Amino acid sequence: MSTAPKVYGWCPGALRPMMSGDGLVVRIRAPLGRLTSEQAKAVADISTRYGNGVLDLSARANLQMRGVREASHPALIAALQDLGLVDQNARAEARRNILVTPFWAEGDRNHHIASALTEGLAQAEDLDLPGKFGFAVDAGPAPVLQGAAADIRIEGAGERLTLRADGADVALEVCKDNAAAEALTLARWFLDQGGASEGRGRMHALLARRAAPASHTAGVARGASRPAPRQTRSGALVALEFGQISAETFAALTDLGPLRLTPWRMLLIENTQDLAPLPGLIHSATDPRLRVSACTGAPGCLQALSETRALARDLAPHLPEGTSLHVSGCAKGCAHPKAADVTLTATGADRFDLIRNGRANDRPLRSDLSARTLRAAPHLLTKDT
């Protein structure tokens, strides 16, 4: 019988890293989700010098250095400070939990709102939000971030702009100049209503028991589907296998242009059209690995009960068209908190439960399956088996 995984209730930062099985995880919240070529190249070097040279792209478009040695953390922070990638203190860093559409342009309303929200959060020292509470600035022609986790959403629909509490089916009409201030007002409403104690301190948990503010009466914008690797007006959008990339490949990309981080475990390389193949990158929109989520797994994660990514990589080619697969090292399901068509949850060393149309902690259809069995019988992944 496996023990329940530990739920921390907060995410690592740069100033407040989290210990994992391969060392400290140090998360960089790049301003506006963008790294200049110089910053990105330096980050790759820092990752190799003070960590294990492995970088993760999180579901909130943050970049994580893995395998950082505790003794090296102060020097790493000093290096990040020189790059302008560290906040004044850990509390300020935690508040600045802003996800911005990677398709923003200099001076547009995304850029304007995200900059104002960043400044407002830096000044709001009284705003003691839960560790995972975050904002999404998604003010393009249509929302593209509705599949990403956020508690307060600023969303565009053509010329229209709304502010929405996550989980609500109504919103507040706002404009470019007041959206950030209204977002902070909504965050304070969340705290006043006792939201910090609801469901790990998330907005949707609060709205499960009470209505959104009375002033929120506007309709909700309809979002676009998750993009695939492709050329965009902003540059090349390329996916990372399971959201991970080596520092060496990351450094190679910096020669092409500045990098924008996305919540889809993809990088947007600015002003780039022709991208040569590099290890760990996915260029094809039909690659089955795009439909597979897999956490770090053992031994890299202290919570994981088995390795995950080698199994996910082997099963991906056998995944039926249109089917999603989540391979989770424990019942927390960090890599994919929502339901997947098929979920494999580790219950012990090389042992998995198989769950259909559910999350990692849901009731299994099959139990005690070995990785060898799954590799030998990929038909178990089909919906009608």
Side-chain angles (χ1 to χ4, degrees), residues 122 252 356 375:
R356 293 208 184 281
R375 287 183 170 99

Side-chain angles (χ1 to χ4, degrees), residues 30 79 84 135 160 223 259 263 269-270 279 284 343 370 380:
F135 302 79
R160 184 167 167 263
L259 304 181
I269 307 159
E270 289 183 14
S284 171
T343 297
S370 69
L380 292 172

